[in-house]
Amino acid sequence: MKSNLQFESTENRTKQKILSSENNRGGGKMSLSIPCQTPKLHALELSLTIGCRVDCLYCPQKLLLSKYYSADKNRKSTLSFDDFKKVLDKVERNSSISFAGMSEPFHNPYCADMIVYAYQQGYKISLLTTLVDMTMEDYQKIKDIPFESFVLHIPDEEQHSRFSITDEYLELLKQINKNIKIDYYSCHGNVHPVVKNLIDPEMYAGISLGNRAGNLDLEEVPVTAAKTGSIVCYHGSEKQIGGWAPVMFPDGTLVLCCQDYGMKHVLGNLLEESWEEIQAGKEFQHFIEGLTADSSDILCRTCCDSRNVEELPSMQIKRSVDMIKEQLNKDNYTASISSNFIWKLARCRHVCVFGLGKLFRDHFFQEYWHQGLNVSLLADNNQEMQGKYIEGLLCVSPEQLKEYPDVMVIIFVKDSDKIEQQLKNLGVMNYITIFQIIDEYNKEKQSVSKNLFLKRD
């Protein structure tokens, strides 16, 4: 559900390097690939159990069970708390831990305790739940956690998902709606009349069914034609675009993503291997190469959640900027897109992205903003990053921005107020946030005006 710094960024898709400025000047390279050579994961999704009793029509549980138990019928079916803690140590702090996977998280009796523990250890928490098997005691444990994302799957009138709508369930639903910020409601049909008046209709995302990258065989679910060209993962919904994260099963097995019910891409075992070892493995490299190889058979090629690079907002913005640049010296020039930021991007000499935190890791390279915005410079308040190169882009201190004439700063963080004030104090007035860019882009592109691309709150 959630994301890390994704897959690839430049022409060499399988390697991303952070170079120290000293080594770069001397011709040497200190390589740190993002994420291909990172020592720890930047996101992880967990299936806390195998076998989901909600048994949704649009969830290929039988396929998963047959594949998971094909070699060992006694294979571990529930993630232990001890194993959970071991795995958590292999994920970078301040990264996303998603409790979702391929089964209801609260089928595992330790789910609430795991959520609390992960949050206390400094991780961002995402939860997708039906509330099935959640108790009021579980709710009390997690109700004060500031979830990065909380998605609630609610009952449908057609009973495509097996809910037991008891008084206890309804009371739990009421309490969660009242006290926890819900990103959106998911439903596999028409909302059940019993819960219809208990939800905020503005947060109902509707249903847009996919065939689980070819793993779901239902007549009413269309088959996704194989995509060609370079692609990226755009998993999510119209209310919330997320990104790629591998899914771990109870025994530590790591599969490609939440669509890999057939276990086509088994990357390794996170309890037995390091993330570095898994990344160097044959299956992970096959996946990385498949993102640019038309002939590849990776799941992403037939997944409705993948996107061609040329269709991304960043690349559409790039085309508009390039067009304006070509026309700048022509008489009677009129921009076909009137957005002020497009004009500024076309006129400025340097484009700098400020903020190399989680949002940057989750979206910047994965969604090709480095190319779409023609970024030539990075900036961050973290002194450890200053003076280093990330994918060939030098990271400078905020104070150094004054040395770059006609620089346009793109603030790439969720909460931009402090950075905006910092730039004003430095006398750097030409700046815009990535969310303002998205808002302006969506206004110009009415066909995608509801697609947020990046999740701000």
Side-chain angles (χ1 to χ4, degrees):
M1 286 177 57
K2 284 299 181 185
S3 64
N4 53 357
L5 184 60
Q6 312 286 346
F7 318 150
E8 61 197 336
S9 67
T10 60
E11 294 179 0
N12 184 353
R13 301 298 181 193
T14 63
K15 293 184 179 180
Q16 294 178 319
K17 300 174 181 178
I18 294 181
L19 311 176
S20 72
S21 56
E22 289 186 5
N23 284 343
N24 192 49
R25 286 195 298 268
K29 294 185 178 182
M30 179 183 70
S31 176
L32 177 60
S33 173
I34 308 174
C36 297
Q37 298 294 327
T38 51
K40 293 189 177 185
L41 274 159
H42 286 290
L44 179 64
E45 186 168 346
L46 297 167
S47 278
L48 301 185
T49 63
I50 288 293
C52 184
R53 293 189 289 277
V54 183
D55 197 22
C56 301
L57 176 64
Y58 303 109
C59 185
Q61 286 293 312
K62 290 182 180 178
L63 174 63
L64 173 61
L65 290 170
S66 65
K67 293 292 185 180
Y68 189 78
Y69 290 114
S70 60
D72 182 3
K73 295 187 181 300
N74 297 314
R75 197 169 177 178
K76 191 174 183 180
S77 62
T78 302
L79 181 64
S80 71
F81 197 92
D82 286 342
D83 284 346
F84 169 75
K85 289 192 287 186
K86 291 177 185 176
V87 166
L88 204 62
D89 192 49
K90 298 182 181 182
V91 183
E92 193 73 37
R93 297 290 173 93
N94 198 41
S95 295
S96 295
I97 301 295
S98 179
F99 293 83
M102 301 177 191
S103 66
E104 163 55 51
F106 284 94
H107 286 343
N108 188 314
Y110 296 104
C111 178
D113 296 322
M114 291 176 179
I115 290 173
V116 172
Y117 179 82
Y119 173 69
Q120 291 175 341
Q121 296 302 306
Y123 295 92
K124 306 290 186 181
I125 308 299
S126 295
L127 175 62
L128 191 158
T129 179
T130 62
L131 305 185
V132 173
D133 285 343
M134 181 192 282
T135 66
M136 194 58 71
E137 182 181 359
D138 291 329
Y139 161 72
Q140 291 295 333
K141 290 178 180 179
I142 69 171
K143 67 181 179 67
D144 295 322
I145 288 178
F147 288 93
E148 182 179 42
S149 173
F150 193 110
V151 178
L152 193 55
H153 181 173
I154 55 178
D156 60 277
E157 189 174 12
E158 296 83 355
Q159 297 185 5
H160 290 154
S161 303
R162 296 182 180 180
F163 283 82
S164 178
I165 306 177
T166 62
D167 290 342
E168 290 77 11
Y169 168 81
L170 293 174
E171 181 59 29
L172 193 56
L173 178 61
K174 290 177 184 177
Q175 291 299 319
I176 286 177
N177 279 325
K178 180 180 178 181
N179 298 306
I180 295 179
K181 182 184 178 299
I182 294 172
D183 287 79
Y184 65 91
Y185 301 97
S186 170
C187 186
H188 288 182
N190 295 309
V191 177
H192 198 288
V194 175
V195 302
K196 200 167 188 177
N197 293 329
L198 300 178
I199 69 169
D200 180 356
E202 293 296 320
M203 302 306 296
Y204 174 51
I207 181 170
S208 178
L209 296 175
N211 68 349
R212 306 288 188 181
N215 286 315
L216 184 63
D217 186 16
L218 289 175
E219 289 185 5
E220 60 266 41
V221 179
V223 175
T224 301
K227 296 180 178 70
T228 59
S230 295
I231 58 174
V232 296
C233 177
Y234 236 49
H235 174 65
S237 74
E238 293 302 305
K239 290 288 187 181
Q240 175 185 321
I241 294 296
W244 175 82
V247 174
M248 194 192 81
F249 293 145
D251 67 346
T253 297
L254 199 68
V255 296
L256 181 61
C257 68
C258 61
Q259 306 290 10
D260 197 359
Y261 282 81
M263 299 179 65
K264 181 175 183 177
H265 302 296
V266 176
L267 305 179
N269 190 296
L270 204 55
L271 283 171
E272 299 172 358
E273 302 170 88
S274 70
W275 175 231
E276 289 177 301
E277 291 172 328
I278 291 174
Q279 290 174 105
K282 181 178 179 180
E283 193 61 34
F284 187 87
Q285 292 302 314
H286 171 61
F287 156 60
I288 292 294
E289 293 165 2
L291 293 170
T292 55
D294 288 350
S295 60
S296 171
D297 64 346
I298 63 171
L299 283 178
C300 314
R301 289 282 161 191
T302 55
C303 179
C304 62
D305 288 328
S306 63
R307 296 287 185 274
N308 287 99
V309 169
E310 292 304 313
E311 297 174 0
L312 298 176
S314 57
M315 301 308 287
Q316 294 185 49
I317 289 172
K318 176 177 171 56
R319 286 193 289 273
S320 297
V321 171
D322 290 344
M323 178 192 69
I324 292 176
K325 285 182 177 180
E326 291 177 4
Q327 298 293 329
L328 275 175
N329 296 323
K330 293 185 179 181
D331 294 335
N332 302 318
Y333 168 69
T334 301
S336 62
I337 295 182
S338 60
S339 300
N340 193 34
F341 83 93
I342 294 284
W343 177 264
K344 288 183 177 180
L345 283 170
R347 294 292 297 264
C348 69
R349 291 176 59 184
H350 301 280
V351 177
C352 175
V353 163
F354 193 138
L356 308 185
K358 186 178 183 303
L359 189 72
F360 179 90
R361 294 199 307 266
D362 288 354
H363 294 277
F364 183 70
F365 288 113
Q366 159 68 359
E367 294 168 19
Y368 281 71
W369 290 108
H370 59 307
Q371 292 186 22
L373 300 176
N374 195 25
V375 177
S376 57
L377 195 66
L378 302 173
D380 197 84
N381 284 312
N382 184 351
Q383 294 182 3
E384 293 183 1
M385 299 301 297
Q386 295 167 9
K388 294 182 179 179
Y389 285 79
I390 303 175
E391 277 299 304
L393 299 173
L394 175 64
C395 179
V396 301
S397 68
E399 290 75 17
Q400 289 177 285
L401 290 175
K402 294 181 292 185
E403 302 173 10
Y404 293 85
D406 297 326
V407 64
M408 182 176 182
V409 178
I410 313 295
I411 302 174
F412 217 92
V413 300
K414 288 185 177 180
D415 300 314
S416 62
D417 292 348
K418 291 183 179 179
I419 292 179
E420 290 184 48
Q421 187 59 52
Q422 182 180 10
L423 291 173
K424 289 177 183 177
N425 293 340
L426 291 170
V428 179
M429 306 304 293
N430 189 17
Y431 62 82
I432 188 172
T433 72
I434 187 62
F435 295 103
Q436 288 171 327
I437 287 178
I438 291 297
D439 288 343
E440 289 196 36
Y441 169 83
N442 284 338
K443 288 176 184 177
E444 296 293 338
K445 302 290 184 179
Q446 294 182 1
S447 63
V448 291
S449 62
K450 293 183 180 180
N451 201 335
L452 302 182
F453 298 102
L454 296 177
K455 175 174 175 284
R456 182 166 193 169
D457 298 322

